[in-house]
Amino acid sequence: MTIVILGGTAEARQLAAALVTAGIDVVSSLAGRVSSPHLPAGRVRVGGFGGVDGLAKYLKTEHAAAIVDATHPFATMISTNAVLAASRTGLPLIRLDRPGWGEHPRAGGWTWVPDTAGARSAADSARRPFLTTGRQSLTDFASWADREVLIRLVDPPTMPIPQRWTVMTSRGPYGYAAEYQILREHAIDLLISKDSGGTHTVAKLDAAGDLGIPIVIIARPERPPATVVNTVSEAAAWCRSAENLRLVGRSST
């Protein structure tokens, strides 16, 4: 019996490692949007499923015991498909959802917006913004060609970038000292980020706060209801229980 983990987040990799160490068969499914991803322990597949039908078929082929949705908090489509596929196949599903930054000590002083359009509007007066919302959102800020925009991506952009923009390619986690230096060297006057949560990229928020730089945060989108845990240890315990239940069910038939 196999635990299927959806997502290539740091938490997904940590969970895969914990389960493999416990002797549980794991297959991690990565979307394939990042080149040379950090691969988790256990088996790995890369690429989409072709919707709910494809995911449900894959789960049956793998004789899955349970599904863990450990995708990025903004990956709404796969989360929706996972819930529907779990319902269709009768498999238990849990969502490993790292805590957002709403409880950050300075969160009350940030500007929270629902989407990239809201972020663009809230940051209208910024002349040297630091944009950390990912490659797929760049087209939403294309009208800022006249600004000194600093963008940070894991992989190089696929769209033409305005001459005045500066592109940094790097992969977290990021430390406070380096983030502080970046903000100072580029004279950043506003930071835009998604509410990705966790600790890997929070240092930019702390550094910006200490420098008095305004922060705009894109709030997490709604995802379909599911059982949610916030830690890898909770998810690992749930997976062990789910796998045991499936094995008991199989031995009694």
Side-chain angles (χ1 to χ4, degrees):
M1 305 297 289
T2 300
I3 302 293
V4 175
I5 300 176
L6 305 176
T9 60
E11 293 78 12
R13 294 194 300 273
Q14 292 165 14
L15 176 60
L19 295 180
V20 168
T21 299
I24 297 174
D25 183 48
V26 175
V27 58
S28 297
S29 177
L30 313 183
R33 291 177 179 168
V34 175
S35 66
S36 303
H38 290 157
L39 296 180
R43 295 186 291 130
V44 178
R45 73 171 297 278
V46 179
F49 294 99
V52 178
D53 290 342
L55 177 54
K57 180 179 179 181
Y58 178 79
L59 294 170
K60 291 178 181 178
T61 301
E62 283 292 337
H63 302 292
I67 316 163
V68 180
D69 176 7
T71 57
H72 191 277
F74 284 74
T76 55
M77 181 174 293
I78 186 60
S79 291
T80 299
N81 289 349
V83 168
L84 294 174
S87 176
R88 186 172 300 181
T89 58
L91 291 176
L93 176 144
I94 198 169
R95 182 176 300 142
L96 175 51
D97 200 12
R98 62 189 178 217
W101 290 324
E103 299 301 316
H104 190 283
R106 290 172 170 165
W110 304 338
T111 300
W112 290 79
V113 295
D115 50 31
T116 52
R120 191 174 61 247
S121 177
D124 189 57
S125 62
R127 305 315 302 172
R128 304 182 69 90
F130 185 15
L131 188 59
T132 63
T133 56
R135 188 171 56 178
Q136 291 181 299
S137 68
L138 292 183
T139 55
D140 296 330
F141 296 92
S143 62
W144 285 2
D146 61 332
R147 307 184 191 197
E148 305 292 334
V149 180
L150 174 65
I151 60 175
R152 182 164 65 196
L153 308 168
V154 174
D155 291 320
T158 55
M159 62 170 278
I161 297 299
Q163 269 193 329
R164 297 181 67 175
W165 289 20
T166 300
V167 179
M168 298 176 59
T169 55
S170 62
R171 191 191 305 263
Y174 302 105
Y176 176 88
E179 297 291 71
Y180 190 96
Q181 183 176 0
I182 287 170
L183 296 170
R184 286 285 303 273
E185 285 184 354
H186 292 270
I188 298 300
D189 61 3
L190 186 136
L191 169 66
I192 303 177
S193 175
K194 292 179 176 178
D195 181 19
S196 298
T199 60
H200 273 52
T201 61
V202 74
K204 63 187 175 186
L205 303 176
D206 296 329
D210 288 345
L211 288 168
I213 297 171
I215 298 172
V216 174
I217 300 288
I218 300 173
R220 294 183 176 187
E222 290 291 330
R223 291 193 282 177
T227 300
V228 176
V229 296
N230 298 124
T231 67
V232 172
S233 60
E234 288 176 298
W238 182 91
C239 287
R240 290 191 293 270
S241 174
E243 191 198 37
N244 289 337
L245 287 174
R246 295 286 291 181
L247 289 173
V248 169
R250 284 175 65 86
S251 65
S252 64
T253 57

